[in-house]
Coordinates of all heavy atoms in Angstrom, one line a residue:
M50 N 94.4 -74.1 95.1 CA 95.0 -74.4 96.4 C 95.2 -75.9 96.5 O 94.3 -76.7 96.2 CB 94.2 -73.9 97.5 CG 94.8 -74.1 98.9 SD 93.8 -73.6 100.3 CE 92.6 -74.9 100.3
F51 N 96.4 -76.3 96.9 CA 96.7 -77.7 97.1 C 97.0 -77.9 98.6 O 97.5 -77.0 99.3 CB 98.0 -78.0 96.4 CG 97.8 -78.0 94.9 CD1 98.0 -76.8 94.2 CD2 97.4 -79.1 94.2 CE1 97.9 -76.8 92.8 CE2 97.3 -79.1 92.8 CZ 97.5 -77.9 92.1
V52 N 96.6 -79.1 99.1 CA 96.8 -79.4 100.5 C 97.6 -80.6 100.7 O 97.4 -81.6 100.1 CB 95.4 -79.6 101.2 CG1 95.6 -80.0 102.7 CG2 94.6 -78.3 101.1
K53 N 98.6 -80.5 101.6 CA 99.5 -81.6 102.0 C 99.1 -81.9 103.4 O 99.6 -81.2 104.4 CB 100.9 -81.3 101.9 CG 101.9 -82.4 102.2 CD 103.4 -81.9 102.1 CE 103.8 -81.5 100.7 NZ 105.2 -81.3 100.6
P54 N 98.2 -82.9 103.7 CA 97.6 -83.0 105.0 C 98.6 -83.3 106.1 O 98.3 -82.9 107.3 CB 96.6 -84.1 104.9 CG 96.7 -84.6 103.5 CD 97.6 -83.8 102.7
D55 N 99.7 -84.0 105.8 CA 100.6 -84.3 106.9 C 101.8 -83.3 107.0 O 102.7 -83.5 107.8 CB 101.0 -85.7 106.9 CG 101.9 -86.0 105.7 OD1 102.0 -85.2 104.7 OD2 102.6 -87.1 105.7
G56 N 101.8 -82.3 106.2 CA 102.8 -81.3 106.2 C 102.8 -80.4 107.5 O 101.8 -80.4 108.2
A57 N 103.8 -79.6 107.7 CA 103.9 -78.7 108.8 C 103.6 -79.4 110.2 O 102.7 -79.0 110.9 CB 103.0 -77.5 108.6
Q58 N 104.3 -80.5 110.4 CA 104.2 -81.2 111.6 C 102.7 -81.7 111.9 O 102.2 -81.6 112.9 CB 104.7 -80.4 112.8 CG 106.1 -80.1 112.7 CD 106.7 -79.4 114.0 OE1 106.0 -79.2 114.9 NE2 107.9 -79.0 113.9
K59 N 102.1 -82.1 110.8 CA 100.7 -82.7 110.8 C 99.6 -81.6 110.9 O 98.5 -82.0 111.1 CB 100.6 -83.8 111.9 CG 101.6 -84.8 111.9 CD 101.4 -85.8 110.7 CE 102.4 -87.0 110.9 NZ 102.9 -87.5 109.7
F60 N 100.0 -80.3 110.9 CA 99.0 -79.3 110.9 C 98.4 -79.1 109.5 O 97.3 -78.6 109.4 CB 99.5 -78.0 111.4 CG 99.8 -77.9 112.9 CD1 101.1 -78.0 113.4 CD2 98.7 -77.8 113.7 CE1 101.3 -77.9 114.7 CE2 99.0 -77.7 115.1 CZ 100.2 -77.8 115.6
G61 N 99.1 -79.5 108.5 CA 98.7 -79.4 107.1 C 99.5 -78.2 106.5 O 99.9 -77.3 107.2
H62 N 99.6 -78.3 105.2 CA 100.4 -77.4 104.4 C 99.7 -77.1 103.1 O 99.1 -78.0 102.6 CB 101.8 -78.0 104.2 CG 102.7 -77.1 103.3 ND1 103.2 -75.9 103.8 CD2 103.1 -77.4 102.1 CE1 104.0 -75.5 102.8 NE2 103.9 -76.3 101.8
V63 N 99.9 -75.9 102.5 CA 99.2 -75.6 101.3 C 100.3 -75.2 100.2 O 101.3 -74.7 100.5 CB 98.2 -74.5 101.4 CG1 97.0 -74.9 102.3 CG2 98.8 -73.2 101.9
G64 N 99.9 -75.5 99.0 CA 100.6 -75.0 97.8 C 99.6 -74.2 97.0 O 98.4 -74.1 97.4
W65 N 100.1 -73.6 95.9 CA 99.2 -72.7 95.2 C 99.4 -72.9 93.7 O 100.4 -73.5 93.2 CB 99.5 -71.2 95.5 CG 100.9 -70.9 95.4 CD1 101.9 -71.0 96.4 CD2 101.6 -70.5 94.2 NE1 103.1 -70.7 95.9 CE2 103.0 -70.4 94.6 CE3 101.3 -70.3 92.9 CZ2 104.0 -70.0 93.6 CZ3 102.2 -70.0 92.0 CH2 103.6 -69.8 92.3
G66 N 98.4 -72.4 92.9 CA 98.5 -72.4 91.5 C 97.5 -71.4 90.9 O 96.5 -71.1 91.5
F67 N 97.8 -70.9 89.7 CA 96.9 -70.0 89.0 C 97.0 -70.2 87.5 O 98.1 -70.5 87.0 CB 97.0 -68.6 89.4 CG 98.4 -67.9 89.1 CD1 98.6 -67.4 87.9 CD2 99.3 -67.9 90.1 CE1 99.9 -66.8 87.6 CE2 100.6 -67.3 89.8 CZ 100.8 -66.8 88.6
K68 N 95.9 -70.1 86.8 CA 95.9 -70.2 85.4 C 96.3 -68.9 84.7 O 95.9 -67.8 85.2 CB 94.5 -70.6 84.9 CG 94.5 -70.9 83.4 CD 93.1 -71.4 83.0 CE 93.1 -71.8 81.6 NZ 91.7 -72.3 81.2
V69 N 97.1 -68.9 83.7 CA 97.5 -67.8 82.9 C 96.4 -67.6 81.8 O 96.3 -68.5 80.9 CB 98.9 -67.9 82.3 CG1 99.2 -66.6 81.5 CG2 99.9 -68.1 83.3
P70 N 95.5 -66.6 81.9 CA 94.3 -66.5 81.0 C 94.7 -66.6 79.6 O 95.7 -66.0 79.1 CB 93.7 -65.2 81.4 CG 94.2 -64.9 82.8 CD 95.5 -65.5 82.9
G71 N 93.9 -67.3 78.8 CA 94.1 -67.4 77.4 C 95.3 -68.3 76.9 O 95.6 -68.3 75.7
T72 N 95.9 -69.0 77.8 CA 97.1 -69.8 77.4 C 97.0 -71.3 77.7 O 97.7 -72.0 77.1 CB 98.4 -69.3 78.1 OG1 98.3 -69.6 79.5 CG2 98.6 -67.8 77.9
G73 N 96.1 -71.7 78.6 CA 96.1 -73.1 79.0 C 97.3 -73.5 79.8 O 97.5 -74.6 80.1
R74 N 98.0 -72.5 80.3 CA 99.2 -72.7 81.2 C 98.9 -72.4 82.6 O 98.0 -71.5 82.9 CB 100.4 -71.9 80.7 CG 100.8 -72.0 79.3 CD 101.5 -73.2 78.9 NE 102.8 -73.2 79.6 CZ 103.6 -74.3 79.6 NH1 103.3 -75.4 79.0 NH2 104.8 -74.2 80.1
W75 N 99.5 -73.0 83.5 CA 99.4 -72.8 84.9 C 100.7 -72.6 85.6 O 101.7 -73.2 85.2 CB 98.7 -74.1 85.6 CG 97.3 -74.3 85.2 CD1 96.8 -74.7 84.0 CD2 96.1 -74.0 86.0 NE1 95.5 -74.8 84.0 CE2 95.0 -74.3 85.2 CE3 96.0 -73.5 87.2 CZ2 93.7 -74.2 85.6 CZ3 94.7 -73.3 87.7 CH2 93.6 -73.7 86.9
V76 N 100.7 -71.6 86.5 CA 101.9 -71.4 87.3 C 101.6 -71.9 88.7 O 100.5 -71.6 89.2 CB 102.2 -69.9 87.4 CG1 103.5 -69.6 88.2 CG2 102.5 -69.3 85.9
Y77 N 102.5 -72.6 89.3 CA 102.2 -73.3 90.6 C 103.5 -73.4 91.4 O 104.6 -73.3 90.9 CB 101.5 -74.6 90.4 CG 102.3 -75.5 89.4 CD1 103.2 -76.5 89.9 CD2 102.1 -75.4 88.1 CE1 103.9 -77.3 89.0 CE2 102.8 -76.2 87.2 CZ 103.7 -77.1 87.6 OH 104.3 -77.9 86.7
G78 N 103.3 -73.6 92.7 CA 104.4 -73.7 93.6 C 104.0 -73.8 95.1 O 102.9 -74.0 95.4
A79 N 105.0 -73.6 95.9 CA 104.8 -73.7 97.4 C 106.1 -73.1 98.1 O 107.1 -72.9 97.5 CB 104.5 -75.1 97.8
V80 N 105.9 -72.9 99.4 CA 107.0 -72.7 100.3 C 107.1 -73.9 101.2 O 106.2 -74.1 102.0 CB 106.8 -71.4 101.1 CG1 107.9 -71.2 102.1 CG2 106.7 -70.2 100.1
E81 N 108.1 -74.7 101.0 CA 108.1 -76.0 101.6 C 108.7 -76.1 103.0 O 108.4 -77.0 103.8 CB 108.9 -77.0 100.8 CG 108.3 -77.2 99.4 CD 106.9 -77.9 99.4 OE1 106.5 -78.4 100.4 OE2 106.3 -78.0 98.3
N82 N 109.6 -75.1 103.4 CA 110.2 -75.1 104.7 C 110.9 -76.5 105.0 O 110.4 -77.3 105.8 CB 109.2 -74.8 105.8 CG 109.9 -74.6 107.2 OD1 111.1 -74.4 107.2 ND2 109.1 -74.6 108.2
P83 N 112.0 -76.7 104.4 CA 112.7 -78.0 104.5 C 113.2 -78.3 105.9 O 113.5 -79.5 106.2 CB 113.9 -77.9 103.6 CG 114.1 -76.4 103.4 CD 112.7 -75.8 103.5
S84 N 113.3 -77.3 106.8 CA 113.7 -77.6 108.2 C 112.6 -78.4 109.0 O 112.9 -79.0 110.0 CB 114.0 -76.3 109.0 OG 112.8 -75.7 109.3
E85 N 111.4 -78.4 108.4 CA 110.2 -79.0 109.0 C 109.9 -78.5 110.4 O 109.2 -79.1 111.2 CB 110.4 -80.5 109.1 CG 110.5 -81.1 107.7 CD 110.6 -82.6 107.7 OE1 110.4 -83.3 108.7 OE2 111.0 -83.2 106.6
K86 N 110.4 -77.3 110.7 CA 110.0 -76.6 112.0 C 108.9 -75.7 111.7 O 108.7 -75.3 110.5 CB 111.2 -75.9 112.5 CG 112.3 -76.8 112.9 CD 113.5 -76.1 113.5 CE 114.6 -77.1 113.9 NZ 115.8 -76.4 114.3
L87 N 108.1 -75.3 112.7 CA 107.0 -74.4 112.5 C 107.4 -72.9 112.3 O 106.6 -72.1 111.9 CB 106.0 -74.5 113.7 CG 105.3 -75.8 113.8 CD1 104.4 -75.8 115.0 CD2 104.6 -76.2 112.6
Y88 N 108.7 -72.6 112.5 CA 109.2 -71.3 112.3 C 110.6 -71.3 111.6 O 111.4 -72.1 112.0 CB 109.3 -70.6 113.7 CG 110.0 -69.2 113.6 CD1 109.3 -68.1 113.0 CD2 111.3 -69.0 114.0 CE1 109.9 -66.9 112.9 CE2 111.9 -67.8 113.9 CZ 111.2 -66.7 113.4 OH 111.8 -65.5 113.3
T89 N 110.7 -70.5 110.6 CA 112.0 -70.4 110.0 C 112.5 -68.9 110.2 O 111.8 -68.0 109.9 CB 111.9 -70.6 108.5 OG1 111.5 -72.0 108.3 CG2 113.3 -70.5 107.8
P90 N 113.7 -68.8 110.8 CA 114.1 -67.4 111.1 C 114.5 -66.6 109.9 O 114.7 -67.2 108.8 CB 115.4 -67.6 112.0 CG 115.8 -69.0 111.7 CD 114.6 -69.8 111.3
P91 N 114.5 -65.3 109.9 CA 114.8 -64.5 108.8 C 116.1 -64.9 108.1 O 117.1 -65.2 108.8 CB 114.9 -63.1 109.3 CG 114.1 -63.1 110.6 CD 114.2 -64.5 111.1
G92 N 116.1 -65.1 106.8 CA 117.3 -65.5 106.1 C 117.4 -67.0 106.0 O 118.3 -67.5 105.3
G93 N 116.5 -67.7 106.7 CA 116.6 -69.2 106.7 C 116.0 -69.7 105.3 O 115.4 -69.0 104.6
D94 N 116.3 -71.0 105.0 CA 115.9 -71.6 103.8 C 114.4 -72.0 103.9 O 114.0 -72.8 104.8 CB 116.7 -72.9 103.6 CG 116.3 -73.6 102.3 OD1 115.5 -73.1 101.5 OD2 116.8 -74.7 102.1
I95 N 113.6 -71.3 103.1 CA 112.1 -71.6 103.2 C 111.7 -72.6 102.1 O 110.5 -73.0 102.1 CB 111.3 -70.3 103.1 CG1 111.6 -69.6 101.8 CG2 111.5 -69.4 104.3 CD1 110.7 -68.4 101.5
G96 N 112.6 -73.0 101.2 CA 112.3 -74.0 100.2 C 111.2 -73.5 99.2 O 110.5 -74.3 98.7
A97 N 111.2 -72.2 98.9 CA 110.3 -71.7 97.9 C 110.6 -72.2 96.5 O 111.8 -72.3 96.1 CB 110.2 -70.2 97.9
W98 N 109.6 -72.6 95.8 CA 109.8 -73.1 94.4 C 108.5 -72.7 93.6 O 107.5 -72.5 94.1 CB 110.1 -74.6 94.3 CG 108.9 -75.4 94.7 CD1 108.7 -75.9 96.0 CD2 107.9 -75.9 93.9 NE1 107.5 -76.6 96.0 CE2 107.0 -76.7 94.8 CE3 107.6 -75.8 92.6 CZ2 105.9 -77.3 94.3 CZ3 106.4 -76.5 92.1 CH2 105.6 -77.2 93.0
H99 N 108.7 -72.7 92.3 CA 107.5 -72.5 91.4 C 107.9 -73.2 90.0 O 109.0 -73.4 89.7 CB 107.1 -71.1 91.2 CG 108.1 -70.2 90.5 ND1 109.2 -69.7 91.1 CD2 108.1 -69.9 89.2 CE1 109.9 -69.1 90.1 NE2 109.3 -69.1 89.0
A100 N 106.8 -73.5 89.3 CA 107.0 -74.1 88.0 C 105.8 -73.6 87.1 O 104.9 -73.0 87.6 CB 107.0 -75.6 88.1
E101 N 105.9 -74.0 85.8 CA 104.8 -73.6 84.9 C 104.6 -74.8 84.0 O 105.5 -75.4 83.5 CB 105.1 -72.4 84.1 CG 104.0 -71.9 83.2 CD 104.2 -70.5 82.6 OE1 105.1 -69.7 83.2 OE2 103.6 -70.2 81.6
G102 N 103.3 -75.1 83.7 CA 103.0 -76.1 82.7 C 101.5 -76.3 82.5 O 100.7 -75.4 82.9
S103 N 101.1 -77.4 81.9 CA 99.7 -77.6 81.7 C 99.0 -78.0 83.0 O 99.6 -78.3 84.0 CB 99.6 -78.8 80.7 OG 100.0 -80.0 81.3
Y104 N 97.7 -78.0 83.0 CA 96.9 -78.4 84.1 C 97.3 -79.8 84.6 O 97.5 -80.1 85.8 CB 95.4 -78.3 83.8 CG 94.5 -78.6 84.9 CD1 94.3 -77.7 85.9 CD2 93.8 -79.8 85.0 CE1 93.4 -78.0 87.0 CE2 93.0 -80.1 86.0 CZ 92.8 -79.2 87.0 OH 91.9 -79.5 88.1
D105 N 97.4 -80.8 83.6 CA 97.7 -82.1 84.0 C 99.1 -82.2 84.6 O 99.3 -83.0 85.5 CB 97.6 -83.0 82.8 CG 96.2 -83.3 82.3 OD1 95.2 -83.1 83.2 OD2 96.0 -83.7 81.2
R106 N 100.1 -81.5 84.0 CA 101.4 -81.5 84.6 C 101.4 -80.9 86.0 O 102.1 -81.5 86.9 CB 102.4 -80.7 83.7 CG 103.8 -80.6 84.2 CD 104.7 -79.8 83.3 NE 105.9 -79.5 84.0 CZ 106.8 -78.7 83.5 NH1 106.7 -78.2 82.3 NH2 107.9 -78.5 84.1
M107 N 100.7 -79.8 86.2 CA 100.6 -79.3 87.6 C 100.1 -80.3 88.6 O 100.7 -80.5 89.6 CB 99.7 -78.0 87.6 CG 99.5 -77.4 88.9 SD 98.4 -76.0 88.9 CE 96.9 -76.7 88.4
L108 N 99.0 -81.0 88.2 CA 98.4 -82.0 89.1 C 99.4 -83.1 89.4 O 99.5 -83.6 90.5 CB 97.1 -82.5 88.6 CG 95.9 -81.5 88.5 CD1 94.7 -82.2 88.0 CD2 95.6 -80.9 89.8
S109 N 100.1 -83.6 88.3 CA 101.0 -84.6 88.5 C 102.2 -84.2 89.4 O 102.6 -85.0 90.3 CB 101.5 -85.1 87.1 OG 102.6 -86.0 87.2
E110 N 102.7 -83.1 89.1 CA 103.9 -82.7 89.9 C 103.6 -82.3 91.3 O 104.3 -82.6 92.3 CB 104.6 -81.5 89.2 CG 105.3 -81.9 87.9 CD 106.0 -80.8 87.2 OE1 106.1 -79.6 87.7 OE2 106.6 -81.1 86.2
M111 N 102.4 -81.7 91.6 CA 102.0 -81.4 93.0 C 101.7 -82.7 93.7 O 102.1 -82.9 94.9 CB 100.8 -80.5 93.0 CG 101.1 -79.1 92.5 SD 102.3 -78.2 93.3 CE 101.5 -77.7 94.8
S112 N 101.1 -83.7 93.1 CA 100.8 -84.9 93.8 C 101.9 -85.9 94.0 O 101.8 -86.9 94.8 CB 99.7 -85.7 93.0 OG 100.2 -86.2 91.8
T113 N 103.1 -85.6 93.4 CA 104.3 -86.4 93.7 C 105.4 -85.7 94.3 O 106.5 -86.2 94.4 CB 104.8 -87.1 92.3 OG1 105.1 -86.0 91.4 CG2 103.7 -87.9 91.7
D114 N 105.2 -84.4 94.7 CA 106.3 -83.6 95.2 C 107.5 -83.5 94.2 O 108.7 -83.6 94.6 CB 106.8 -84.0 96.6 CG 106.0 -83.5 97.7 OD1 105.2 -82.6 97.5 OD2 106.1 -84.0 98.8
A115 N 107.2 -83.5 92.9 CA 108.2 -83.6 91.9 C 109.2 -82.4 91.9 O 110.4 -82.6 91.6 CB 107.5 -83.6 90.5
N116 N 108.8 -81.2 92.3 CA 109.7 -80.1 92.2 C 110.5 -79.8 93.5 O 111.5 -79.1 93.5 CB 108.9 -78.8 91.8 CG 108.5 -78.9 90.4 OD1 109.3 -78.7 89.5 ND2 107.2 -79.1 90.2
Y117 N 110.0 -80.4 94.6 CA 110.7 -80.2 95.9 C 110.5 -81.5 96.7 O 109.6 -81.4 97.6 CB 110.2 -79.0 96.6 CG 111.2 -78.5 97.6 CD1 112.1 -77.4 97.3 CD2 111.3 -79.1 98.9 CE1 113.0 -77.0 98.2 CE2 112.2 -78.6 99.8 CZ 113.1 -77.5 99.5 OH 114.0 -77.1 100.4
P118 N 111.1 -82.6 96.4 CA 110.9 -83.8 97.2 C 111.1 -83.6 98.6 O 112.1 -83.0 99.0 CB 111.9 -84.8 96.6 CG 112.3 -84.2 95.2 CD 112.1 -82.7 95.4
G119 N 110.2 -84.0 99.4 CA 110.3 -83.9 100.9 C 110.2 -85.2 101.6 O 110.3 -86.3 101.0
T120 N 109.8 -85.1 102.8 CA 109.7 -86.3 103.6 C 108.2 -86.6 104.0 O 107.9 -87.5 104.7 CB 110.5 -86.2 105.0 OG1 109.9 -85.1 105.7 CG2 111.9 -86.0 104.7
S121 N 107.3 -85.9 103.3 CA 105.9 -86.1 103.6 C 105.5 -87.5 103.1 O 105.8 -88.0 102.0 CB 105.1 -85.1 102.9 OG 103.7 -85.2 103.1
E122 N 104.7 -88.2 104.0 CA 104.2 -89.5 103.5 C 103.1 -89.3 102.5 O 102.9 -90.2 101.7 CB 103.5 -90.2 104.8 CG 104.5 -90.6 105.8 CD 103.8 -91.2 107.0 OE1 102.8 -91.8 106.9 OE2 104.4 -91.0 108.1
H123 N 102.4 -88.2 102.5 CA 101.3 -87.9 101.5 C 101.6 -86.5 100.9 O 101.2 -85.5 101.5 CB 100.0 -88.0 102.3 CG 99.8 -89.2 103.0 ND1 99.5 -90.4 102.4 CD2 99.8 -89.5 104.3 CE1 99.4 -91.3 103.3 NE2 99.6 -90.8 104.5
P124 N 102.2 -86.5 99.7 CA 102.4 -85.2 99.1 C 101.0 -84.5 98.9 O 100.0 -85.0 99.4 CB 103.0 -85.5 97.8 CG 103.7 -86.8 98.0 CD 102.8 -87.6 99.0
Y125 N 101.0 -83.4 98.2 CA 99.7 -82.7 98.0 C 98.7 -83.6 97.4 O 98.8 -84.1 96.3 CB 100.0 -81.5 97.0 CG 100.9 -80.5 97.6 CD1 102.3 -80.5 97.3 CD2 100.5 -79.5 98.5 CE1 103.2 -79.6 97.8 CE2 101.4 -78.6 99.1 CZ 102.7 -78.7 98.7 OH 103.6 -77.8 99.2
S126 N 97.7 -84.0 98.3 CA 96.8 -85.0 97.9 C 95.4 -84.5 97.7 O 94.5 -85.2 97.3 CB 96.8 -86.1 99.0 OG 96.4 -85.6 100.2
R127 N 95.2 -83.2 98.0 CA 93.9 -82.6 97.8 C 94.0 -81.2 97.2 O 95.0 -80.6 97.4 CB 93.2 -82.4 99.2 CG 93.0 -83.7 99.9 CD 92.3 -83.5 101.2 NE 92.2 -84.8 101.9 CZ 92.5 -85.1 103.1 NH1 92.9 -84.1 103.9 NH2 92.4 -86.3 103.6
Y128 N 93.1 -80.9 96.4 CA 93.1 -79.5 95.7 C 91.8 -79.0 95.5 O 90.8 -79.8 95.5 CB 94.0 -79.6 94.5 CG 93.3 -80.3 93.3 CD1 92.6 -79.6 92.3 CD2 93.5 -81.7 93.1 CE1 92.0 -80.2 91.3 CE2 92.9 -82.3 92.1 CZ 92.2 -81.6 91.2 OH 91.6 -82.2 90.1
R129 N 91.7 -77.7 95.4 CA 90.4 -77.1 95.0 C 90.7 -75.9 94.1 O 91.6 -75.1 94.3 CB 89.7 -76.5 96.3 CG 88.5 -75.7 96.0 CD 87.7 -75.4 97.1 NE 87.1 -76.7 97.6 CZ 86.5 -76.8 98.8 NH1 86.4 -75.8 99.6 NH2 86.0 -78.0 99.1
C130 N 89.9 -75.9 93.0 CA 90.0 -74.8 92.1 C 88.8 -73.9 92.2 O 87.7 -74.3 92.4 CB 90.0 -75.3 90.6 SG 91.5 -76.2 90.2
T131 N 89.1 -72.6 92.2 CA 88.0 -71.6 92.3 C 88.3 -70.6 91.2 O 89.4 -70.4 90.7 CB 87.9 -70.9 93.7 OG1 89.1 -70.2 93.9 CG2 87.6 -71.9 94.8
T132 N 87.3 -69.8 90.8 CA 87.4 -68.8 89.8 C 87.4 -67.4 90.6 O 87.0 -67.3 91.7 CB 86.3 -68.8 88.8 OG1 85.1 -68.6 89.5 CG2 86.3 -70.1 88.0
S133 N 88.0 -66.5 89.9 CA 88.1 -65.1 90.4 C 87.7 -64.1 89.4 O 88.1 -64.3 88.2 CB 89.5 -64.9 90.9 OG 89.7 -63.5 91.3
S134 N 86.9 -63.2 89.7 CA 86.5 -62.2 88.7 C 87.6 -61.1 88.5 O 87.6 -60.4 87.5 CB 85.2 -61.5 89.2 OG 85.4 -60.8 90.5
A135 N 88.5 -61.1 89.5 CA 89.6 -60.1 89.3 C 90.9 -60.9 89.4 O 91.1 -61.7 90.3 CB 89.5 -59.0 90.4
H136 N 91.9 -60.6 88.5 CA 93.2 -61.2 88.6 C 94.2 -60.3 88.0 O 93.9 -59.4 87.2 CB 93.1 -62.6 87.9 CG 92.8 -62.4 86.4 ND1 91.5 -62.4 86.0 CD2 93.5 -62.3 85.3 CE1 91.4 -62.3 84.7 NE2 92.7 -62.2 84.3
D137 N 95.4 -60.5 88.4 CA 96.6 -59.8 87.8 C 97.8 -60.7 87.7 O 98.6 -60.8 88.7 CB 96.8 -58.5 88.6 CG 97.8 -57.6 88.0 OD1 98.7 -58.0 87.2 OD2 97.7 -56.4 88.3
V138 N 97.9 -61.4 86.6 CA 98.9 -62.4 86.5 C 100.3 -61.7 86.5 O 101.2 -62.3 87.1 CB 98.7 -63.2 85.1 CG1 99.9 -64.0 84.8 CG2 97.5 -64.0 85.2
N139 N 100.4 -60.6 86.0 CA 101.7 -59.9 86.0 C 102.2 -59.6 87.4 O 103.3 -59.8 87.8 CB 101.7 -58.6 85.2 CG 101.6 -58.9 83.7 OD1 102.0 -59.9 83.2 ND2 100.9 -58.0 82.9
R140 N 101.3 -59.1 88.2 CA 101.6 -58.8 89.6 C 101.9 -60.1 90.4 O 102.8 -60.2 91.3 CB 100.5 -58.0 90.3 CG 100.5 -56.6 89.9 CD 99.5 -55.7 90.6 NE 99.9 -55.6 92.0 CZ 99.1 -55.1 92.9 NH1 98.0 -54.6 92.6 NH2 99.5 -55.0 94.2
A141 N 101.2 -61.2 90.1 CA 101.4 -62.5 90.7 C 102.8 -63.0 90.4 O 103.5 -63.5 91.2 CB 100.3 -63.5 90.3
R142 N 103.2 -62.8 89.1 CA 104.5 -63.3 88.7 C 105.6 -62.5 89.4 O 106.6 -63.0 89.8 CB 104.7 -63.2 87.2 CG 103.9 -64.2 86.4 CD 104.3 -64.1 84.9 NE 103.5 -65.0 84.1 CZ 103.9 -66.3 83.8 NH1 104.9 -66.8 84.4 NH2 103.1 -67.0 83.0
V143 N 105.4 -61.2 89.6 CA 106.4 -60.3 90.3 C 106.5 -60.8 91.7 O 107.6 -60.9 92.3 CB 106.0 -58.9 90.2 CG1 106.8 -58.0 91.2 CG2 106.2 -58.3 88.8
M144 N 105.3 -61.1 92.4 CA 105.3 -61.6 93.8 C 106.1 -62.9 93.9 O 106.9 -63.0 94.9 CB 103.9 -61.7 94.3 CG 103.8 -62.1 95.7 SD 104.6 -61.0 96.9 CE 103.6 -59.5 96.7
I145 N 106.0 -63.8 93.0 CA 106.7 -65.0 93.0 C 108.2 -64.8 93.1 O 108.9 -65.5 93.8 CB 106.3 -65.9 91.8 CG1 104.9 -66.4 91.9 CG2 107.2 -67.1 91.7 CD1 104.3 -67.0 90.6
L146 N 108.7 -63.8 92.3 CA 110.1 -63.6 92.2 C 110.6 -62.6 93.3 O 111.8 -62.4 93.3 CB 110.4 -63.1 90.8 CG 110.1 -64.1 89.7 CD1 110.3 -63.4 88.3 CD2 110.8 -65.4 89.8
T147 N 109.8 -62.1 94.1 CA 110.2 -61.1 95.1 C 110.7 -61.9 96.3 O 110.0 -62.7 96.9 CB 109.0 -60.2 95.5 OG1 108.5 -59.5 94.4 CG2 109.4 -59.2 96.6
P148 N 112.0 -61.6 96.7 CA 112.5 -62.3 97.9 C 111.7 -61.9 99.2 O 111.3 -60.7 99.3 CB 113.9 -61.7 98.0 CG 114.2 -61.0 96.8 CD 112.9 -60.7 96.1
L149 N 111.5 -62.8 100.0 CA 110.8 -62.6 101.3 C 111.8 -61.8 102.2 O 113.0 -62.2 102.3 CB 110.4 -63.9 102.0 CG 109.3 -64.7 101.2 CD1 109.1 -66.0 101.9 CD2 108.1 -63.9 101.1
T150 N 111.3 -60.8 102.8 CA 112.1 -60.0 103.7 C 111.4 -59.8 105.0 O 110.2 -59.9 105.1 CB 112.5 -58.6 103.1 OG1 111.3 -57.9 102.8 CG2 113.3 -58.8 101.9
T151 N 112.1 -59.4 106.0 CA 111.4 -59.1 107.3 C 111.8 -57.7 107.7 O 112.8 -57.2 107.3 CB 111.9 -60.1 108.4 OG1 113.3 -60.0 108.6 CG2 111.5 -61.5 108.1
S152 N 111.0 -57.1 108.5 CA 111.3 -55.7 109.0 C 111.8 -55.8 110.4 O 111.7 -56.7 111.1 CB 110.0 -54.9 109.0 OG 108.9 -55.5 108.6

C-alpha cells in the first residue's frame, strides 16, 4: 500500500501493489481521480492506471507519480509491505482490467 498524504483534498490517497510470486515482478497502480473532487459521477474519468516492473522500479515510479503525473505536492511518499498467506494473482489481474460500473 502506498500513501499520498496530501491527495484527495488533503484527506490522503492510497495506491496499491502486489508481487507476482516466483518472478521478482510487481504489479502496481492507483485510481487518481484527476478532477480532484471527492466524488466522481458514474462514467467520469477516475484516472485508473497500472504498471509492472521490479520492486525498485515500482518504488521509483510511485514516489515520482511517473505513470500519472498530478498536482500533488508530495507524491506517494509512504508505503507499507505486508505478506499474505492467501493470494490469487490471476484474479487480481482480472480485477485490474475490469471496468468500474455502478448499479
Side-chain angles (χ1 to χ4, degrees):
M50 180 181 78
F51 293 88
V52 177
K53 186 183 293 189
D55 69 342
Q58 297 183 7
K59 310 283 188 217
F60 285 105
H62 174 72
V63 297
W65 52 267
F67 61 87
K68 186 175 182 181
V69 180
T72 69
R74 306 283 292 171
W75 290 75
V76 179
Y77 50 97
V80 174
E81 300 290 353
N82 190 12
S84 73
E85 298 183 12
K86 295 180 180 174
L87 294 179
Y88 173 75
T89 300
D94 181 8
I95 60 171
W98 65 271
H99 69 279
E101 184 170 339
S103 68
Y104 182 76
D105 289 340
R106 179 178 166 188
M107 175 180 66
L108 293 182
S109 173
E110 291 184 358
M111 293 300 283
S112 69
T113 61
D114 275 349
N116 290 286
Y117 202 99
T120 59
S121 179
E122 294 175 29
H123 307 286
Y125 297 97
S126 59
R127 299 178 183 137
Y128 70 95
R129 174 169 292 169
C130 290
T131 61
T132 59
S133 172
S134 60
H136 59 273
D137 190 331
V138 170
N139 292 330
R140 286 184 68 187
R142 287 184 184 275
V143 167
M144 182 59 66
I145 292 167
L146 298 174
T147 300
L149 295 177
T150 59
T151 59
S152 4

